Amino acid sequence: MGAQKSFDDLGLTGEVLAAVNELAYVEPTPVQMKAIPAILAGRDVMAAAQTGTGKTAAFLLPTMSRLDRVGRRRGPSMLVVTPTRELAQQIVEVASVICAHTHHRSASVVGGVGYELQRAALKRGCDVLVATPGRLLDLMGEGACSLGDVEVLVLDEADRMLDMGFLPDMRRIVAACPQNRQTLLFSATLSDDVLQNVGTLVRDPVRIEVAPKGTAAQTIEQYVLGVSAEAKKRVLVEVLRREGADRVIVFCRGKHRADHLCRILCKKGFSAAPIHGNRSQNQRARALAQFRSGEVGILVATDVLARGIDVSEVSYVVNVDVPHEAESYIHRIGRTGRAGVRGWTLMFVDEDEYLDLRDIERLMGKKIADYPKAEGLDVGEHPARLDPARSPRDRLPSKKARKRTGRRR
Ligand code: AMP
């Protein structure tokens, strides 16, 4: 069992910690543990961390703990350069939550949308600017944006920017920033290409490398079971009786459902605690601590817990509901089978969830096996039929088409 990790001990300001609470992060991820103190100490950082490791918060939380606020100055004091509009959007979303607590202003300049709003935002002035390279250079070129006040420069997904041919653009952007800035470089890998071309932009950096995520899909034994929606609770109780109720995480959709399942399990004599976004930071931390110590055998969670936190030696994971987002499944099952311990996972699928199951299989490029111990389980009157001939390569109707036509398979 790892030592207790907490955001409270990393040196972030109270305002930023309030934002962490709102973002529902329970514990810092490994890249956050390493990057936050280094960035707070003013060091340059060079980190190998992929999307999904919590890298966005790793650079936003500490910088926004230190950053001045716009006074009469117009230009940003922090600039985040990222390769795509989608990534920029994700960063802005997290930044806005933090800004609401710290009273900084954020803005974004990205391609593919009109210039006018972006010009206006720059004119009003911002503290944190999130940008894609091409559009930023356009706006700099016309005098709408100056980087002379930049104190912190973040180069996000540097390897991808190189792959996309942004090296000359990056060089021009960096050259427009003051020399005595703090530079934070994030890249999925620190390949020779990255080190040679952008590694020179950081000064005496703290080097951080965290294990890539998402090999889980290959190493965990995964099973599915077709059930009726109304039979799920019963089946869960029976599975817990058969397979054991120690160090089990149960995932479901929705906070109320998590509370409800917890009450049922406790009534049936199991020790279970809920963990989700409606619980306070303290309640979540307590539930985790009790789970770690073995006082509580079962955590019932929504996707809040699925990412980022490290509860070691989980014996298995039950997905009572299929997540709408296929990516969430990978995060959920990643809670078991960590650090060389072989884990397994079981997911209940009802008729309405069949296509969500197919999405997950498509994402993984692999079909999930039938639960081999289904015999004797009461799966309800109309359990979903999981077509044994289905293939992860089949084309599936789009989410829109499903909504429009009500198609369920
Ligand atoms: P990123 O690597 O920045 O793309 O973040 C991946 C996902 O992890 C995002 O959905 C974040 O909301 C989430 N996340 C980041 N930090 C934490 C944390 N400490 N605890 C839980 N989730 C987190």
Side-chain angles (χ1 to χ4, degrees):
M1 250 177 279
Q4 182 88 28
K5 292 171 275 178
S6 160
F7 276 106
D8 294 341
D9 309 328
L10 295 177
L12 298 168
T13 59
E15 293 161 335
V16 168
L17 286 174
V20 167
N21 196 26
E22 186 179 334
L23 289 161
Y25 300 163
V26 183
E27 295 180 321
T29 64
V31 67
Q32 290 163 359
M33 283 292 285
K34 292 178 186 154
I36 290 173
I39 296 172
L40 283 172
R43 297 286 303 272
D44 279 9
V45 160
M46 184 157 72
Q50 297 184 336
T51 297
T53 53
K55 68 183 168 64
T56 310
F59 62 72
L60 286 177
L61 298 173
T63 44
M64 294 182 70
S65 275
R66 279 165 50 96
L67 211 61
D68 289 338
R69 295 186 186 93
V70 230
R72 269 166 303 175
R73 175 177 54 70
R74 278 203 338 201
S77 37
M78 172 168 177
L79 172 66
V80 183
V81 186
T82 191
T84 68
R85 180 151 49 124
E86 289 70 27
L87 281 164
Q89 181 57 35
Q90 285 173 30
I91 297 167
V92 167
E93 273 166 24
V94 182
S96 323
V97 175
I98 305 171
C99 281
H101 292 272
T102 58
H103 307 292
H104 288 103
R105 268 197 239 158
S106 65
S108 69
V109 299
V110 296
V113 290
Y115 282 78
E116 241 359 270
L117 287 175
Q118 299 180 359
R119 282 193 196 108
L122 290 168
K123 203 162 176 190
R124 279 195 303 276
C126 64
D127 303 295
V128 181
L129 182 64
V130 182
T132 52
R135 177 62 61 95
L136 177 62
L137 284 169
D138 280 356
L139 288 163
M140 284 163 64
E142 62 177 53
C145 182
S146 141
L147 303 182
D149 292 322
V150 169
E151 293 163 18
V152 187
L153 170 66
V154 181
L155 299 171
D156 183 41
E157 309 241 337
D159 50 343
R160 225 162 125 194
M161 291 204 273
L162 290 179
D163 288 345
M164 291 168 73
F166 283 141
L167 181 60
D169 287 0
M170 278 158 74
R171 289 221 167 105
R172 284 172 59 201
I173 292 166
V174 172
C177 295
Q179 289 256 326
N180 59 353
R181 60 173 194 268
Q182 182 180 25
T183 309
L184 314 174
L185 175 72
F186 286 79
S187 181
T189 59
L190 296 177
S191 60
D192 289 346
D193 189 26
V194 172
L195 291 177
Q196 273 163 25
N197 287 306
V198 280
T200 48
L201 303 174
V202 281
R203 256 186 295 188
D204 184 25
V206 175
R207 243 180 108 143
I208 296 171
E209 302 197 35
V210 298
K213 62 147 193 173
T215 42
Q218 270 67 49
T219 57
I220 294 169
E221 285 173 41
Q222 306 170 51
Y223 302 109
V224 270
L225 179 67
V227 299
S228 283
E230 86 290 344
K232 284 183 170 183
K233 292 172 214 156
R234 246 194 343 260
V235 184
L236 173 64
V237 169
E238 189 52 34
V239 166
L240 289 166
R241 282 194 181 130
R242 290 182 183 188
E243 303 278 3
D246 246 344
R247 310 197 71 77
V248 181
I249 300 185
V250 173
F251 281 108
C252 66
R253 276 184 194 168
K255 303 161 186 172
H256 297 298
R257 187 157 161 81
D259 285 334
H260 177 66
L261 282 175
C262 240
R263 279 197 298 273
I264 292 181
L265 292 179
C266 290
K267 252 193 220 151
K268 297 278 178 192
F270 296 106
S271 74
I275 185 160
H276 54 66
N278 270 4
R279 311 285 287 171
S280 70
Q281 180 78 13
N282 273 342
Q283 288 173 319
R284 293 198 294 254
R286 196 172 335 119
L288 270 180
Q290 288 174 327
F291 184 71
R292 284 219 178 82
S293 72
E295 206 179 316
V296 160
I298 306 163
L299 274 186
V300 183
T302 59
D303 285 310
V304 163
L305 186 88
R307 289 169 188 245
I309 70 155
D310 189 15
V311 190
S312 53
E313 294 157 43
V314 169
S315 19
Y316 63 103
V317 167
V318 184
N319 289 288
V320 170
D321 305 309
V322 181
H324 281 303
E325 299 300 330
E327 267 281 331
S328 300
Y329 175 78
I330 313 266
H331 288 290
R332 288 179 177 194
I333 68 166
R335 300 308 97 198
T336 182
R338 317 201 86 198
V341 187
R342 228 178 146 68
W344 67 277
T345 176
L346 170 63
M347 179 156 67
F348 303 159
V349 182
D350 69 30
E351 186 60 29
D352 285 337
E353 297 171 320
Y354 185 64
L355 282 173
D356 288 332
L357 163 68
R358 305 287 312 272
D359 285 337
I360 291 169
E361 294 184 327
R362 209 179 138 87
L363 177 73
M364 294 194 299
K366 138 175 180 172
K367 201 173 99 181
I368 306 179
D370 288 336
Y371 182 48
K373 298 193 239 168
E375 205 168 302
L377 285 176
D378 176 3
V379 293
E381 262 186 63
H382 304 288
R385 195 183 65 83
L386 312 181
D387 183 358
R390 71 187 188 278
S391 155
R393 280 179 298 279
D394 291 342
R395 275 184 66 100
L396 303 170
S398 71
K399 294 223 167 181
K400 246 193 196 154
R402 291 175 207 180
K403 239 193 198 146
R404 206 177 54 236
T405 59
R407 223 179 119 169
R408 297 198 298 178
R409 339 199 118 226

Short mmCIF file of all heavy atoms in Angstrom, two decimals, residues 7 24-29 32 50-57 90 304 307-309, ligand 1:
data_model
loop_
_atom_site.label_atom_id
_atom_site.label_comp_id
_atom_site.label_asym_id
_atom_site.label_seq_id
_atom_site.Cartn_x
_atom_site.Cartn_y
_atom_site.Cartn_z
N PHE A 7 -3.21 16.57 -2.13
CA PHE A 7 -2.93 17.86 -2.74
C PHE A 7 -2.53 18.88 -1.68
O PHE A 7 -1.82 19.84 -1.97
CB PHE A 7 -4.16 18.37 -3.49
CG PHE A 7 -4.29 17.81 -4.89
CD1 PHE A 7 -5.23 16.83 -5.18
CD2 PHE A 7 -3.46 18.26 -5.90
CE1 PHE A 7 -5.34 16.33 -6.47
CE2 PHE A 7 -3.58 17.77 -7.20
CZ PHE A 7 -4.52 16.79 -7.47
N ALA A 24 -13.01 17.87 -8.51
CA ALA A 24 -13.24 16.53 -7.96
C ALA A 24 -12.02 15.62 -8.08
O ALA A 24 -12.14 14.42 -8.22
CB ALA A 24 -14.46 15.87 -8.63
N TYR A 25 -10.84 16.20 -8.06
CA TYR A 25 -9.64 15.37 -8.01
C TYR A 25 -9.41 14.98 -6.56
O TYR A 25 -9.39 15.83 -5.67
CB TYR A 25 -8.40 16.15 -8.48
CG TYR A 25 -8.46 16.66 -9.90
CD1 TYR A 25 -7.59 17.66 -10.31
CD2 TYR A 25 -9.36 16.16 -10.83
CE1 TYR A 25 -7.61 18.17 -11.60
CE2 TYR A 25 -9.40 16.65 -12.12
CZ TYR A 25 -8.52 17.65 -12.49
OH TYR A 25 -8.55 18.14 -13.77
N VAL A 26 -9.23 13.70 -6.32
CA VAL A 26 -9.08 13.23 -4.95
C VAL A 26 -7.62 13.26 -4.51
O VAL A 26 -7.28 13.77 -3.46
CB VAL A 26 -9.65 11.80 -4.80
CG1 VAL A 26 -9.56 11.35 -3.35
CG2 VAL A 26 -11.09 11.77 -5.27
N GLU A 27 -6.78 12.71 -5.37
CA GLU A 27 -5.35 12.64 -5.04
C GLU A 27 -4.55 13.07 -6.25
O GLU A 27 -4.97 12.88 -7.37
CB GLU A 27 -4.96 11.19 -4.75
CG GLU A 27 -5.60 10.60 -3.53
CD GLU A 27 -5.15 9.17 -3.36
OE1 GLU A 27 -5.02 8.46 -4.38
OE2 GLU A 27 -4.91 8.78 -2.21
N PRO A 28 -3.34 13.60 -6.03
CA PRO A 28 -2.52 13.95 -7.18
C PRO A 28 -2.07 12.71 -7.94
O PRO A 28 -1.80 11.66 -7.33
CB PRO A 28 -1.32 14.67 -6.56
CG PRO A 28 -1.37 14.44 -5.10
CD PRO A 28 -2.74 13.97 -4.74
N THR A 29 -2.00 12.82 -9.25
CA THR A 29 -1.48 11.71 -10.06
C THR A 29 0.06 11.76 -9.96
O THR A 29 0.61 12.76 -9.51
CB THR A 29 -1.90 11.87 -11.53
OG1 THR A 29 -1.30 13.06 -12.03
CG2 THR A 29 -3.42 11.97 -11.67
N GLN A 32 1.61 14.82 -11.36
CA GLN A 32 1.30 16.00 -10.52
C GLN A 32 2.17 16.02 -9.26
O GLN A 32 2.68 17.06 -8.86
CB GLN A 32 -0.19 15.99 -10.16
CG GLN A 32 -1.08 16.29 -11.37
CD GLN A 32 -2.54 15.92 -11.18
OE1 GLN A 32 -2.93 15.41 -10.13
NE2 GLN A 32 -3.34 16.15 -12.20
N GLN A 50 1.80 11.34 -21.07
CA GLN A 50 0.80 11.33 -22.13
C GLN A 50 -0.48 11.98 -21.65
O GLN A 50 -0.69 12.18 -20.45
CB GLN A 50 0.48 9.88 -22.50
CG GLN A 50 1.67 9.15 -23.05
CD GLN A 50 1.31 7.76 -23.51
OE1 GLN A 50 0.34 7.18 -23.04
NE2 GLN A 50 2.11 7.21 -24.40
N THR A 51 -1.37 12.23 -22.61
CA THR A 51 -2.72 12.64 -22.26
C THR A 51 -3.33 11.57 -21.38
O THR A 51 -3.12 10.39 -21.63
CB THR A 51 -3.55 12.78 -23.55
OG1 THR A 51 -2.96 13.79 -24.33
CG2 THR A 51 -4.98 13.15 -23.25
N GLY A 52 -4.04 11.98 -20.36
CA GLY A 52 -4.66 11.00 -19.47
C GLY A 52 -3.90 10.81 -18.18
O GLY A 52 -4.37 10.16 -17.26
N THR A 53 -2.69 11.37 -18.11
CA THR A 53 -1.90 11.22 -16.89
C THR A 53 -2.17 12.36 -15.90
O THR A 53 -1.65 12.35 -14.79
CB THR A 53 -0.39 11.24 -17.21
OG1 THR A 53 -0.12 12.41 -17.99
CG2 THR A 53 0.02 10.01 -18.00
N GLY A 54 -2.98 13.32 -16.31
CA GLY A 54 -3.25 14.47 -15.43
C GLY A 54 -2.26 15.61 -15.65
O GLY A 54 -2.07 16.45 -14.80
N LYS A 55 -1.66 15.64 -16.84
CA LYS A 55 -0.60 16.63 -17.08
C LYS A 55 -1.14 18.07 -17.13
O LYS A 55 -0.44 18.99 -16.75
CB LYS A 55 0.17 16.29 -18.35
CG LYS A 55 -0.63 16.44 -19.61
CD LYS A 55 0.17 16.02 -20.81
CE LYS A 55 -0.70 15.88 -22.04
NZ LYS A 55 -1.33 17.11 -22.50
N THR A 56 -2.37 18.24 -17.60
CA THR A 56 -2.91 19.59 -17.70
C THR A 56 -2.94 20.26 -16.33
O THR A 56 -2.46 21.38 -16.15
CB THR A 56 -4.34 19.56 -18.30
OG1 THR A 56 -4.30 18.77 -19.49
CG2 THR A 56 -4.83 20.95 -18.61
N ALA A 57 -3.52 19.55 -15.37
CA ALA A 57 -3.56 20.10 -14.00
C ALA A 57 -2.15 20.20 -13.44
O ALA A 57 -1.85 21.10 -12.66
CB ALA A 57 -4.44 19.23 -13.11
N GLN A 90 -9.73 21.63 -24.01
CA GLN A 90 -9.65 20.90 -22.72
C GLN A 90 -8.86 21.70 -21.69
O GLN A 90 -9.21 21.72 -20.51
CB GLN A 90 -8.95 19.56 -22.92
CG GLN A 90 -9.81 18.51 -23.59
CD GLN A 90 -9.01 17.25 -23.93
OE1 GLN A 90 -8.04 16.93 -23.23
NE2 GLN A 90 -9.38 16.56 -24.98
N VAL A 304 -15.68 9.69 -11.32
CA VAL A 304 -14.76 10.55 -10.58
C VAL A 304 -13.51 9.79 -10.16
O VAL A 304 -12.40 10.28 -10.23
CB VAL A 304 -15.45 11.10 -9.31
CG1 VAL A 304 -14.44 11.65 -8.33
CG2 VAL A 304 -16.46 12.17 -9.68
N ARG A 307 -10.20 7.88 -12.88
CA ARG A 307 -8.93 8.36 -13.43
C ARG A 307 -7.98 8.79 -12.33
O ARG A 307 -8.40 9.30 -11.32
CB ARG A 307 -9.19 9.58 -14.30
CG ARG A 307 -9.89 9.24 -15.56
CD ARG A 307 -10.33 10.54 -16.19
NE ARG A 307 -11.18 10.26 -17.32
CZ ARG A 307 -10.86 10.57 -18.56
NH1 ARG A 307 -9.72 11.12 -18.83
NH2 ARG A 307 -11.69 10.32 -19.53
N GLY A 308 -6.74 8.59 -12.61
CA GLY A 308 -5.76 9.34 -11.84
C GLY A 308 -5.38 8.83 -10.48
O GLY A 308 -4.28 9.06 -10.05
N ILE A 309 -6.25 8.17 -9.76
CA ILE A 309 -5.83 7.83 -8.41
C ILE A 309 -5.39 6.37 -8.34
O ILE A 309 -5.78 5.54 -9.12
CB ILE A 309 -6.89 8.11 -7.35
CG1 ILE A 309 -8.02 7.12 -7.51
CG2 ILE A 309 -7.37 9.52 -7.40
CD1 ILE A 309 -8.74 6.95 -6.23
P1 AMP B 1 -4.81 15.09 -18.89
O1 AMP B 1 -3.66 14.15 -18.76
O2 AMP B 1 -4.49 16.45 -18.46
O3 AMP B 1 -5.41 15.02 -20.27
O4 AMP B 1 -5.95 14.63 -17.85
C1 AMP B 1 -6.65 13.45 -17.99
C2 AMP B 1 -7.90 13.40 -17.14
O5 AMP B 1 -7.58 13.18 -15.79
C3 AMP B 1 -8.78 14.63 -17.17
O6 AMP B 1 -10.09 14.20 -17.45
C4 AMP B 1 -8.73 15.18 -15.77
O7 AMP B 1 -9.97 15.71 -15.39
C5 AMP B 1 -8.36 14.00 -14.94
N1 AMP B 1 -7.52 14.29 -13.78
C6 AMP B 1 -6.43 15.08 -13.75
N2 AMP B 1 -5.88 15.08 -12.52
C7 AMP B 1 -6.62 14.26 -11.76
C8 AMP B 1 -6.55 13.83 -10.39
N3 AMP B 1 -5.59 14.24 -9.59
N4 AMP B 1 -7.49 12.98 -9.97
C9 AMP B 1 -8.45 12.55 -10.79
N5 AMP B 1 -8.59 12.92 -12.07
C10 AMP B 1 -7.68 13.76 -12.57
#
